[in-house]
Every structure is written in structure tokens, then in C-alpha cells.
Amino acid sequence: MNRREFFKISWGTVGLAALVSGVGVSLAAVIRFLMPSVFYEPPQSFKIGEPGDFPFGPPTFLVDEKIFVFRDREKGFAVASAVCTHLGCTVAHFSSDQRFHCPCHGSVFAADGSVQHGPAPRALDWFEVTMARDGKLLVNKDKVVPPNYRLMV
Amino acid sequence: MNLIREIWQSIVRRDPLSTDKGKSELVFLNVWLHIHPAKVKKENMKFRHTFYLGFITFFLFLILLTTGIALMVYYRPYPAQAYQDMKDLQFAVFMGTFLRNMHRWAAHGMVICVFLHMCRVFYTGSYKKPRQFNWVIGVLLLLLTLSLSFTGYLLPWDQLAYWAITVGTNIGSYAPLIGGQLRELLLGGHSVGEGALIRFYVLHVAVLPAAMILLTIVHFWRVRKDGGLSRPVWKLKGKKEELVVIGAPAVAVPMQASATSKDKTYGLMEVVSGKPIFETVTPEEEEDTVFSYPYAFVREAVVLMATVTTIMTMSLFLNAPLEELANPARTPNPAKAPWYFLGLQELVSHSAFLGGVVAPALMVLALLAIPYLDRNPSRRPGDRKLILWLFTIFVVANLALIIVGTFFRGPGWALVPPWVHVVGGAE
Ligand code: HEM
Ligand code: FES
């Protein structure tokens, strides 16, 4: 290799490296740009009202939060997710058979949320529900609890 | 009079079309027409070879571009406005319904025609050497067509739109490792909301059409550079008859094997180099050759007018559906994706990961790989029995899944034949 070739190869390598890293960094920056830093979405933890707002018997469906609030005389409060674990459709609770039915691909969940039928890969989530200082029920969707979790009031 | 003639000459700059020179110059000197060769082979332009499906697809795309730009004038991509603007288009804007119908029916038509075009190319073996790469470009165009449909589907912000996109994007989240992030990237949030609407809008009106236009140009350029349209199957004779040689003269040794005539009008490049570098032609093919003007142009114009007329007529009588305003709390039962994704939804109803990720990924990979896996050089159907059967099974399976998903799935995705009327559904 003579001097000339040496410079050609080294400059070529430097140039190529600059190009590749430039493109790589730009690409990473673009992807990061597309990833929102702030979500203007409802908070994951929210108050749903006083215990007295919820009747005994069939669960109350909260539309915006997409949750079912169960209130049982002996056992207390429990909150189930209404979002099907398959592809995110909103499930309905049928009081006739005490199960959750998904309209999209026919998943059926038992009363405790476990999958009985259909393509859903896992049970419906149950969320933590606690009593806030002001006496209101506080649901935290970031805290998934076992189906037998109950809040007694 | 002289001035008028001078102005006209300054625009067209060619000899009269009654002369051969004029016919050639019409193509050479016009930036829009010169994607065509000056001469085409009559047989290759036969309806029963291509069914003009590629052209129809392209013309539908032109309809989509023009009507789409018109719709943009009234459409605002925010959840609070989008649905209202659709209603305005339906009831307040002059010709709004008609334009919306045209956009909708052309979009459905494009999905159908691009698929049929792919089938035509497959069954005629037109993806074989030297056209392998143009098939790959074609598969990308197919995916772009589907993506454009999918992103457009959300824009009316009605129940259908909202739930189809909720289900559709959730399929993506089953992709291993990156699935969740991919969905977040696409939606700009954790669920379909205002972030998703503006992102889909940007994809639908800017990013994807731009990609489509660029790739379409490449697609057409390649058709031309691959030696024009393939020879119709019925014109293929003995095994060694396919003489098309593409590339620089260095690799074009087989060229000598054919009796090329010396005085043919070739493309500009051939004129420059004094010999045909892109294609060799048998005397029989030579005989079949005519000027593109008027032979090809008239045919293309007829297909264009037929396409536009069909879409316009449909749009006069059939209205694009618009359901009620999107309601995140209430999933319609059954919630169905757009019809061309119902095969996918049917698969997904059995397993989200296998049906929604693995199967489509394999299908796309298989399509992309076809020209490189199929090593059989012959294009004659008799020599390709196995692969023709395989492809037919692929097509029929896809159609069957779509038909089941469209007509045989009722509330709760239960199997319900279309002739059974379900009253009220479940609930
Ligand atoms: C937006 C979508 C597309 C448009 C606008 C388009 C347009 C065209 C046009 C106008 C032709 C000329 C011949 C004809 O009319 O058939 C053509 C040929 C061709 N197309 Fe497409 N196409 C599209 C998608 C595809 C797809 C999905 C494939 C395959 C996967 C494909 C593969 C080919 C090949 C290999 C040729 C050359 C065929 C031959 O030489 O006979 N294209 N295309
Ligand atoms: S989304 Fe519930 S079964 Fe598919």
C-alpha cells in the first residue's frame, strides 16, 4: 500500500463512519421525537366517588375509566378492568350469567376475570381500590391486584 | 394564425402526428409520455394479458389524490371536529357526499385491483427474470395501499373507525419486544385518541402518498427498463424462446443467438449506442410492433375514462357509510375491521400472536421472496403446475377467511350464517 492508497482508505473509512453515525443519530432522534414526552390522557389513578354512590348487586360500569365497580354486601369493593386483554375492546358484564363477554372476537371471562373461552391470552385485570382521606374511593390502574382483593368499608 | 401555430409549435415541438417521426417525437419530447417506449408490442398490450389492472390501480390512485385533496379543504383532524366535518361534507358541502363517495369507492377498488394485478403478474409468470425486483417493489406498493386504507379508515372518527383502529393497532402490540412501543409510536398515546388521529392524518395525507408516488415512479421505470411488459403466455413457444436480455452488452452474449433486425426503431439509448442494449427481439416480435401513438395511448385513455366513469356512477348511487360518533365506552357488537382486514381479524380471533403477527409476517415474506425462490425459468403454465396450485391455495385461503369474517361472524364473533337474522344481538 502506498501513501496515496493509505490516505484514500483512511479518509474513506472516516467519511463512511461519519455518514453512518450521522444517519444513525438522526434516525434515533426522529424516533425519540415521535415518542410523546407528555401524554394528555386521563391519569392512571383517580377518585370515583363515595362508597354510597355504588349500589349492591350488578357492577357499575364507569364509561370514561373503562372499569366495573363491584360492591358486595359481605365482601366489599372490587374494581375490574373493562378492557379485553385480547385486542382492547370494551367487554360487557352480563348479569344473566355473571360473566364478561367481549364483542370483538368472542372472549368470555368468568366472574373472577379468568378466561373461559376465546382468544384472550390472560385474565381481566383487577385494580387496587383504596379509601382516600376525603372518604372517596381511589382507583389505581397502575396497581394490578389478585381477583380476590377486596376493600371493606 | 401564424402566431397561433408558432405558439403551438413552441409547446409540442414535434412533427405532425401523421408522420412516424412525429409519433416518435410525441413520446420522446414529452416528459409525461416518455415513460412509454416509442413503440410497443401489440400482443403485450392485449387486454387478456394484463387486464389493464396495473393501469386501473394507478388511475384509481389518481382519483384518490384529487378527491382526497378536495376533502382536505373541509376536514379537521381533531376528535371534536372530525366527525362533524364528515357530517358537514354529507349534508352542507356542495358535492361533499359525492366526493366522499368517490374517495371511498376508489379506495376499495384500489385494494381489489392491486390484489388482482398481483395475481395477474403471478399467473403470467411476469415476476421472473429480469422482473424479480419489480415484483418486490410491487409488494411494497401493495403494503402501502393497505396502509393508506387503514390510516384513512380512522379519519371519519365514527364507531366503525374507532374500533377498527383500536383492534388493528392492538394486533401490532403483540409483536415481540417492540410491539408495545410500536403501538405507542403509532398512536402517540396508550389508546386511540387525539394523538392517534393527528398521526394517522399525517400518514394518510402526506407520508404514505409521498411514498406511494415515489415507488410508483420506480415501478413504472422498472417496467420500462425490464424490457416493457412481459410477453403474453400464449406467445411463448419452445423452451429456449425467451430471448429477453437485460443489462450492459458485456453480459448480453445470448443476444447473438437471435436474429435481430437492423433497422428497427429502438429507444433513445439504443439510438445513441447504435445497438439494442436493453432487449433483443425476434423477427416475429418485430412484426408485432406498432407505434405507441395511437395504439397504446388510446387504450390507456379508454381504461382511464372507464375507471373514472365507473367510480363516478357508483358514487351517485352508493353512499359511503358513516356510523355514529366514536364512543370509546361502547364497543359495537360485533366490531369489525375493514373488509380487507377481516381475514386477518378472523385469524386473530383464534390467536392474536400467531394470527395477527406470525401469519401476516410470513405471508409478506413469502410474497417478497417468490421471484427468488421460484428458480423455474419457464413462464409457461404447463411447466409451473405446482407453484400455480400453491398460489391459488394462498389466494383462496385469503378470500375464504375474508368471506367468513365478513358474512359469517355475528355478535360475539360467533359463527352466524348471513341468512340468519340475529335480533338485537347479545346483551
Ligand atoms: C399501487 C400499486 C400498483 C400500481 C399502480 C401498479 C401499476 C402497474 C402498471 C401500470 C403496470 C403495467 C402493466 C399492467 O397494467 O399490468 C405494472 C406492471 C407490473 N407490476 Fe404493478 N402496480 C402496482 C402494484 C404491484 C404489485 C402489488 C405487484 C406484485 C406484487 C406488482 C408487480 C408488477 C410487475 C412484476 C409488473 C410487470 C409485469 C409485466 O411485465 O407483465 N405491481 N404495474
Ligand atoms: S378484543 Fe376481546 S376478544 Fe378480541
Side-chain angles (χ1 to χ4, degrees):
Chain A
M1 188 192 302
N2 61 28
R3 200 182 136 82
R4 214 193 163 102
E5 276 170 359
F6 173 76
F7 275 116
K8 209 158 129 190
I9 290 173
S10 3
W11 281 119
T13 313
V14 171
L16 206 67
L19 186 72
V20 167
S21 49
V23 170
V25 169
S26 312
L27 216 65
V30 167
I31 291 176
R32 179 59 191 83
F33 163 80
L34 289 172
M35 238 23 200
S37 306
V38 183
F39 290 100
Y40 296 96
E41 292 177 342
Q44 290 295 91
S45 166
F46 44 85
K47 289 177 185 165
I48 55 173
E50 318 237 338
D53 299 343
F54 297 92
F56 297 101
T60 313
F61 176 53
L62 298 185
V63 170
D64 294 328
E65 294 81 5
K66 292 194 187 176
I67 51 174
F68 293 104
V69 182
F70 288 85
R71 185 174 191 195
D72 189 277
R73 227 172 267 284
E74 281 93 57
K75 294 183 252 163
F77 281 95
V79 171
S81 162
V83 178
C84 178
T85 55
H86 180 228
L87 291 175
C89 292
T90 308
V91 300
H93 184 267
F94 289 9
S95 30
S96 52
D97 63 359
Q98 299 290 322
R99 298 193 293 178
F100 304 89
H101 295 253
C102 180
C104 285
H105 313 101
S107 286
V108 179
F109 303 86
D112 67 350
S114 60
V115 185
Q116 289 198 324
H117 181 74
R122 57 188 178 80
L124 290 178
D125 287 331
W126 293 83
F127 300 128
E128 183 192 75
V129 48
T130 50
M131 182 73 81
R133 286 242 175 80
D134 58 1
K136 291 198 168 134
L137 294 169
L138 181 70
V139 173
N140 187 349
K141 279 193 177 178
D142 282 330
K143 291 227 174 96
V144 173
V145 294
N148 57 6
Y149 174 97
R150 289 291 185 280
L151 170 74
M152 277 309 293
V153 283
Chain B
M1 269 306 106
N2 263 344
L3 182 62
I4 292 180
R5 182 169 308 149
E6 195 185 321
I7 293 173
W8 177 244
Q9 259 310 309
S10 78
I11 299 171
V12 301
R13 291 200 219 165
R14 56 167 164 70
D15 283 6
L17 286 175
S18 50
T19 66
D20 282 0
K21 182 148 175 281
K23 287 175 185 163
S24 304
E25 282 176 346
L26 172 71
V27 178
F28 282 169
L29 301 183
N30 183 304
V31 67
W32 308 113
L33 293 181
H34 93 282
I35 192 85
H36 294 85
K39 286 180 153 190
V40 292
K41 287 174 215 108
K42 257 165 131 177
E43 284 297 321
N44 300 12
M45 295 287 292
K46 278 273 162 70
F47 183 77
R48 67 194 146 102
H49 174 46
T50 68
F51 302 99
Y52 282 72
L53 284 163
F55 285 105
I56 298 175
T57 310
F58 177 62
F59 296 146
L60 288 171
F61 181 59
L62 292 186
I63 295 178
L64 286 166
L65 278 183
T66 43
T67 53
I69 289 171
L71 293 175
M72 280 176 77
V73 174
Y74 283 99
Y75 178 82
R76 290 165 297 172
Y78 310 102
Q81 277 91 27
Y83 182 76
Q84 210 207 311
D85 291 342
M86 300 316 288
K87 284 277 174 210
D88 266 12
L89 278 166
Q90 263 187 333
F91 297 108
V93 177
F94 173 70
M95 248 179 32
T97 305
F98 182 65
L99 283 173
R100 191 173 162 243
N101 291 350
M102 277 187 78
H103 198 72
R104 177 66 66 105
W105 303 136
H108 284 320
M110 191 167 165
V111 173
I112 297 173
C113 290
V114 73
F115 184 75
L116 292 178
H117 170 60
M118 180 177 84
C119 294
R120 180 302 270 182
V121 171
F122 185 87
Y123 284 114
T124 58
S126 300
Y127 56 87
K128 300 200 174 197
K129 207 172 172 190
R131 298 183 173 81
Q132 304 100 312
F133 189 66
N134 214 15
W135 169 272
V136 174
I137 304 272
V139 175
L140 298 182
L141 284 171
L142 172 76
L143 295 180
L144 274 179
T145 308
L146 292 176
S147 312
L148 269 165
S149 297
F150 188 63
T151 49
Y153 214 78
L154 180 64
L155 304 186
W157 204 253
D158 61 352
Q159 275 289 70
L160 204 63
Y162 185 88
W163 289 103
I165 303 306
T166 297
V167 170
T169 50
N170 266 322
I171 293 174
S173 63
Y174 276 85
L177 302 177
I178 51 158
Q181 260 118 332
L182 208 67
R183 179 176 142 89
E184 218 169 90
L185 201 74
L186 196 62
L187 295 185
H190 297 98
S191 60
V192 180
E194 58 179 15
L197 184 53
I198 191 94
R199 276 166 197 238
F200 273 52
Y201 179 72
V202 170
L203 284 172
H204 188 75
V205 306
V207 179
L208 296 174
M212 187 76 136
I213 291 168
L214 290 177
L215 274 185
T216 306
I217 294 172
V218 177
H219 194 58
F220 291 178
W221 178 251
R222 295 291 295 218
V223 171
R224 178 71 198 285
K225 292 292 142 179
D226 291 344
L229 291 184
S230 60
R231 210 64 189 137
V233 174
W234 63 82
K235 279 283 158 188
L236 305 173
K237 277 166 283 144
K239 289 238 149 84
K240 297 233 163 69
E241 213 49 46
E242 268 287 81
L243 281 171
V244 180
V245 173
I246 300 301
V251 289
V253 188
M255 222 163 66
Q256 272 102 41
S258 74
T260 356
S261 89
K262 292 270 150 48
D263 50 15
K264 185 182 179 299
T265 312
Y266 293 103
L268 207 51
M269 257 81 72
E270 285 96 328
V271 174
V272 171
S273 68
K275 57 183 173 201
I277 54 168
F278 286 109
E279 190 178 4
T280 60
V281 189
T282 60
E284 185 258 338
E285 281 179 20
E286 169 92 55
E287 213 147 89
D288 189 27
T289 304
V290 290
F291 277 104
S292 296
Y293 174 88
Y295 192 87
F297 296 155
V298 166
R299 275 161 181 73
E300 286 168 25
V302 168
V303 172
L304 170 64
M305 290 190 306
T307 309
V308 174
T309 313
T310 308
I311 295 297
M312 282 191 165
T313 314
M314 277 182 76
S315 305
L316 282 177
F317 299 109
L318 286 175
N319 283 337
L322 184 65
E323 293 194 354
E324 60 202 273
L325 177 66
N327 179 357
R330 204 185 59 75
T331 316
N333 191 355
K336 291 194 178 185
W339 62 266
Y340 35 83
F341 286 132
L342 280 184
L344 194 61
Q345 190 171 349
E346 179 61 30
L347 287 177
V348 164
S349 75
H350 300 283
S351 158
F353 180 62
L354 284 180
V357 180
V358 178
L362 284 181
M363 269 196 259
V364 170
L365 283 180
L367 280 180
L368 286 170
I370 280 177
Y372 303 102
L373 293 182
D374 178 10
R375 325 265 349 152
N376 176 0
S378 171
R379 287 183 48 218
R380 295 184 316 154
D383 301 337
R384 309 172 57 214
K385 287 215 179 78
L386 175 66
I387 195 159
L388 290 184
W389 270 111
L390 287 178
F391 191 77
T392 306
I393 291 171
F394 167 81
V395 171
V396 171
N398 267 293
L399 291 183
L401 284 172
I402 288 179
I403 289 170
V404 170
T406 310
F407 298 111
F408 288 82
R409 291 298 187 177
W413 209 248
L415 261 183
V416 181
W419 50 89
V420 173
H421 186 65
V422 182
V423 186
E427 211 172 353

